[in-house]
Amino acid sequence: MENKQIIDINNLVKRFPIGDGYFTALQGITLRFVAGEFAGLVGPSGSGKTTLLNLIGSLDSPSEGSVVVLGHEVSRLSHRESAALRNYHIGFIFQTYNLLPVFSVYDNVEFPLLLQKRDAVGRRKAVMEALDWVGLSHKAQSRPAQLSGGECQRVSIARAMVKRPELVLADEPSANLDAKNSHHIIQTMKRLNRELGTTFLFATHDEKVMGYLDRIISLDDGRVARDERPLCVNEAQSDSTAEENGHARRQARI
């Protein structure tokens, strides 16, 4: 699976209608990602990173160019085919967690497997394994309101990983967390990336997250400004070291 190309983006343009005209959010994007990458789309608000993440996740279609994900060209997929791609092959992690408040942690993590119509025994095994990955098996019967912000985000990681997707898309996953919890959840994802070979792609402007990335794609006004592969911090290193590395990268780009 190593070096297998899973995302192929060519001359991508995305426009949104505004009044009598259009706003061009992405212009001439060409990128490729291989299996097992731990990469990030970085840039300020309005740079196009979330728009690009949505296109890769088959939540939207290009205006021009192509986005091929796991061998499927997004613009050619029907709504049913797009849903199947997401349900079976792509996990999503959101900055606001998007947990169902009236259901338990177990139920929230189980939900993607219900969409796949897996049997009850298989679902239970997969859910408890996913909760164990993020250290929350003891919170299986808790409700989201009983959890801290960091725990809620760890539940969302378990929900994204429970179906063993090839690709996980994380949109500003640390935005609502303090520094300690930010490092914790990124370290968790880094460990899953290494142990399971899952590809992770982030949209972020958080320097703490950047400190762990193997590849940083900087976007500026909808274009790729830089595509770098810096030396990265692994999960065994301290939180302070990761933060210092992120700060050093920011200074180097100024």
Side-chain angles (χ1 to χ4, degrees), residues 15-155:
R15 302 186 188 93
F16 294 99
I18 295 182
D20 295 329
Y22 289 90
F23 168 71
T24 303
L26 296 172
Q27 307 180 59
I29 302 289
T30 295
L31 290 167
R32 287 166 182 79
F33 298 88
V34 298
E37 288 201 61
F38 199 77
L41 307 169
V42 309
S45 297
S47 61
K49 56 188 185 294
T50 296
T51 299
L52 182 51
L53 210 67
N54 287 341
L55 287 160
I56 293 170
S58 78
L59 295 168
D60 205 348
S61 294
S63 302
E64 296 177 21
S66 64
V67 178
V68 179
V69 179
L70 297 166
H72 302 277
E73 187 168 344
V74 169
S75 62
R76 295 184 178 180
L77 296 177
S78 66
H79 290 303
R80 184 183 295 273
E81 290 168 335
S82 291
L85 178 63
R86 293 189 296 270
N87 288 346
Y88 287 90
H89 303 288
I90 304 175
F92 293 87
I93 299 171
F94 308 95
Q95 76 176 68
T96 52
Y97 321 137
N98 287 359
L99 301 179
L100 300 170
V102 298
F103 292 106
S104 68
V105 165
Y106 182 98
D107 294 333
N108 272 275
V109 176
E110 183 187 34
F111 189 71
L113 304 181
L114 293 172
L115 295 176
Q116 294 182 357
K117 303 187 186 305
R118 289 207 203 172
D119 65 88
V121 173
R123 291 200 308 269
R124 177 166 181 78
K125 180 180 177 181
V127 170
M128 294 312 297
E129 184 177 41
L131 288 174
D132 189 54
W133 287 336
V134 299
L136 286 178
S137 55
H138 64 294
K139 297 276 190 177
Q141 299 309 315
S142 298
R143 299 284 180 90
Q146 298 172 300
L147 305 179
S148 68
E151 288 173 332
C152 284
Q153 194 61 294
R154 283 153 63 194
V155 173

Side-chain angles (χ1 to χ4, degrees), residues 230-245:
L231 292 175
C232 65
V233 176
N234 66 44
E235 69 274 12
Q237 291 177 280
S238 70
D239 292 352
S240 60
T241 302
E243 193 163 9
E244 287 168 7
N245 265 30

